[in-house]
Amino acid sequence: MTITLDLTPTEAARLVAAARQEGVAPEQFVKKLVADHLPPNIEATFAEIVAPVHEYSRQQGYSEEEIGAFVDAEIKAYRSERRARQKAETSE
């Protein structure tokens, strides 16, 4: 799909400057802005949703075991905090 935008000279200059700062063409910069602000794709699969996390982990060199240990620790911490909150609420 192609969309035409009427920008003022000031807006166009700001767009070009922002794109240059990111190291991309103005068209790519606008496309990313639009994509970043669209509502989530409710038809996305779980694999598609977590793909950025997997890519980040791959780039960082994390092993499956390290990721699993991290997730397990976070779940344990969350449950502990939730129990403490519930206990505090019932004590009031």
Side-chain angles (χ1 to χ4, degrees), residues 35-66:
D36 288 350
H37 289 88
L38 289 174
N41 179 0
I42 59 172
E43 296 177 8
T45 66
F46 182 73
E48 291 169 333
I49 293 168
V50 298
V53 175
H54 285 238
E55 179 60 20
Y56 175 81
S57 299
R58 186 191 63 73
Q59 289 175 355
Q60 298 301 313
Y62 295 131
S63 69
E64 290 290 327
E65 292 78 20
E66 290 171 314

Side-chain angles (χ1 to χ4, degrees), residues 19 23-34:
V24 298
E27 297 82 2
Q28 291 172 308
F29 187 78
V30 170
K31 185 174 181 178
K32 182 176 180 339
L33 286 175
V34 170

